[in-house]
Amino acid sequence: MRLPYPSLPVCLVLSGLVLLGGPRPLPGQQAKPADTRALARKLVTETVSLRAGNVVLITGGVEDARLLEDLAIEARALGAHPLITIGSDRLDRLMYDEVPPKFDTQIPQGALKLAGLIDASINVDYSQTSRVLDGVPPERIAARGKAGAQVGALLRERRVQQVFLGNDLAPTAERAERFGITQQQLAGAYWSGIDADYEELAERGRILSDILVSGREIRITHPNGTDLTVRINDRDVYVTDGSISAADIERGGAATAVWLPAGEVFLAPVPGSAKGTVVADRHWFQGKPIEGLRLEFENGKLVSMTARSGLAPLKAFYDAAGGGKDEFSVIDIGMNPSVTLVPGSRMVAWMAAGMVTVGLGNNIWAGGENDANFAIFPFLPGSTLAVDGTILVKDGQLATGATAGGAK
């Protein structure tokens, strides 16, 4: 999830001492990699650019203890200094249920100090349910988002490398049920995506990036009523191809983060330029479906938000948010050929080749300037996306030339 603010854990594991109330019950066992050491080595040697002396924060859940340990071992073998932190759905919820609202506006000093200390972070998605904050007053979530903004700003200022393992595709039982597929099918797509050829992703990203960098306008259309145009001239384009290179660190900002499974090209378009309609046949918010979400834009701002059903929770959250929440903010194109959407299912994924995703609200993670404490990112499977009339995505499939040196 591309949060509008970082969510650094508050519980610490040192020398085997776990400072939380024991393992949480799982609604469904998350599928695991057969070899956590090999995965850890791939993340530490191929994804991040760790050097001796670096401090790396490693985050995950209790059920991922072996992978977290292996990440720490591989980091230490390079001379880096690992620090493991633990989070959980239970803890995330109790931090609202048992912490008074008067503390919501406090700047998270622990997370802020960590942000000033670490050189890299590897975050393993521990969430088993997207409904963990269901029923929490939107005003409280918005207040904490605003209070945590300094943490993200410091991470960007210091060019901290950030790796997020999960990317809204981790094979949990809830997510498989939402997609209408088996957990085994989801796990297959997930691990296949992580095992993708990073050099191939980098080359695909270069081709798409070159087209976008030289473009002036994007148009996105779909038979469901989506028809949106937005300017992209003179905007920075970013590629998440599975690794953070020395050049990425030198570039800073959005270039220093990667989401795994990787395989996306994204940008923050020209503010105030979006015009038209976005229709998401189904959008999920806090674990509940919104059917037929329709967003209307004029001069880059949202002027109408409607849906056939399920809009009320999202609307309450939107109303509680601050400035910038109404700005069209992101365009993201998936390019990973190793992530295959199951035919006939409700499956969506950022990185699936040909997926188009758009954003409303915060776009700092994408290199933009909007630091709103609100963001949603509707998936638009089956869309057609063209740059100055040149088609990059046709009916949800990457155009042949978009991966071979010139779109057709």
Side-chain angles (χ1 to χ4, degrees), residues 112-137:
L112 190 62
K113 286 180 168 56
L114 277 176
L117 171 69
I118 62 175
D119 301 291
S121 68
I122 301 175
N123 308 274
V124 180
D125 184 3
Y126 57 75
S127 179
Q128 296 291 317
T129 174
S130 56
R131 299 186 179 185
V132 65
L133 299 185
D134 191 17
V136 175

Side-chain angles (χ1 to χ4, degrees), residues 62-93:
V62 173
E63 71 281 1
D64 293 310
R66 186 179 184 87
L67 174 57
L68 304 184
E69 291 171 348
D70 286 342
L71 285 166
I73 292 167
E74 292 295 331
R76 189 71 191 107
L78 295 176
H81 302 286
L83 174 66
I84 299 177
T85 63
I86 294 292
S88 72
D89 288 335
R90 174 180 179 271
L91 178 62
D92 289 346
R93 181 61 193 231

Side-chain angles (χ1 to χ4, degrees), residues 47-390:
T47 300
V48 294
S49 300
L50 286 183
R51 301 189 302 272
N54 284 167
V55 177
V56 54
L57 176 67
I58 300 169
T59 296
V62 173
E63 71 281 1
D64 293 310
R66 186 179 184 87
L67 174 57
L68 304 184
E69 291 171 348
D70 286 342
L71 285 166
I73 292 167
E74 292 295 331
R76 189 71 191 107
L78 295 176
H81 302 286
L83 174 66
I84 299 177
T85 63
I86 294 292
S88 72
D89 288 335
R90 174 180 179 271
L91 178 62
D92 289 346
R93 181 61 193 231
L94 290 178
M95 281 293 177
Y96 283 98
D97 289 349
E98 299 191 12
V99 175
K102 66 181 180 180
F103 297 128
D104 289 344
T105 57
Q106 284 185 331
I107 295 172
Q109 292 296 332
L112 190 62
K113 286 180 168 56
L114 277 176
L117 171 69
I118 62 175
D119 301 291
S121 68
I122 301 175
N123 308 274
V124 180
D125 184 3
Y126 57 75
S127 179
Q128 296 291 317
T129 174
S130 56
R131 299 186 179 185
V132 65
L133 299 185
D134 191 17
V136 175
E139 295 80 8
R140 297 198 62 189
I141 299 174
R144 293 197 186 186
K146 184 177 181 179
Q150 288 189 29
V151 179
L154 183 56
L155 290 170
R156 293 188 297 275
E157 178 185 335
R158 299 189 59 247
R159 303 186 184 186
V160 173
Q161 301 176 71
Q162 299 184 76
V163 179
F164 301 93
L165 181 61
N167 203 6
D168 290 335
L169 199 65
T172 64
E174 182 195 77
R175 183 169 284 114
E177 181 180 4
R178 179 195 306 173
F179 289 163
I181 60 178
T182 68
Q183 198 171 1
Q184 184 177 8
Q185 287 176 307
L186 180 55
Y190 180 70
W191 295 115
S192 176
I194 287 176
D195 289 337
D197 185 329
Y198 289 175
E199 291 186 1
E200 179 185 350
L201 289 183
E203 178 60 16
R204 283 183 166 222
R206 183 192 63 76
I207 294 169
L208 289 166
S209 178
D210 286 349
I211 296 171
L212 291 166
V213 165
S214 62
R216 296 186 58 81
E217 183 178 83
I218 283 179
R219 184 182 183 190
I220 303 172
T221 58
H222 191 286
N224 66 7
T226 294
D227 192 345
L228 180 100
T229 57
V230 61
R231 293 205 314 275
I232 61 169
N233 47 295
D234 300 320
R235 303 302 284 176
D236 291 330
V237 178
Y238 296 90
V239 177
T240 172
D241 55 19
S243 64
I244 303 172
S245 66
D248 290 330
I249 298 173
E250 178 65 24
R251 185 181 184 188
T256 60
V258 63
W259 291 265
L260 302 176
E264 302 165 52
V265 179
F266 55 86
L267 57 83
V270 176
S273 67
K275 179 180 180 180
T277 304
V278 169
V279 179
D281 293 329
R282 178 177 289 108
H283 179 74
W284 291 83
F285 181 75
Q286 293 187 342
K288 298 177 182 178
I290 301 173
E291 303 292 343
L293 177 64
R294 186 181 184 91
L295 308 174
E296 302 277 355
F297 294 91
E298 291 182 8
N299 298 318
K301 292 186 179 295
L302 183 71
V303 294
S304 173
M305 178 192 295
T306 59
R308 291 196 304 272
S309 64
L311 183 61
L314 172 58
K315 187 61 165 56
F317 193 83
Y318 177 83
D319 290 343
K325 64 184 178 181
D326 59 346
E327 296 179 7
F328 184 88
S329 59
V330 170
I331 293 178
D332 184 290
I333 302 172
M335 60 171 187
N336 190 329
S338 298
V339 176
T340 302
L341 303 182
V342 177
S345 73
R346 300 183 296 272
M347 184 180 176
V348 290
W350 290 84
M351 76 302 299
M355 180 62 70
V356 175
T357 309
V358 298
L360 174 68
N362 189 291
N363 63 4
I364 294 295
W365 65 268
E369 300 84 27
N370 185 345
D371 62 353
N373 58 352
F374 171 90
I376 59 169
F377 306 104
F379 293 104
L380 306 177
S383 295
T384 294
L385 183 149
V387 178
D388 299 333
T390 297

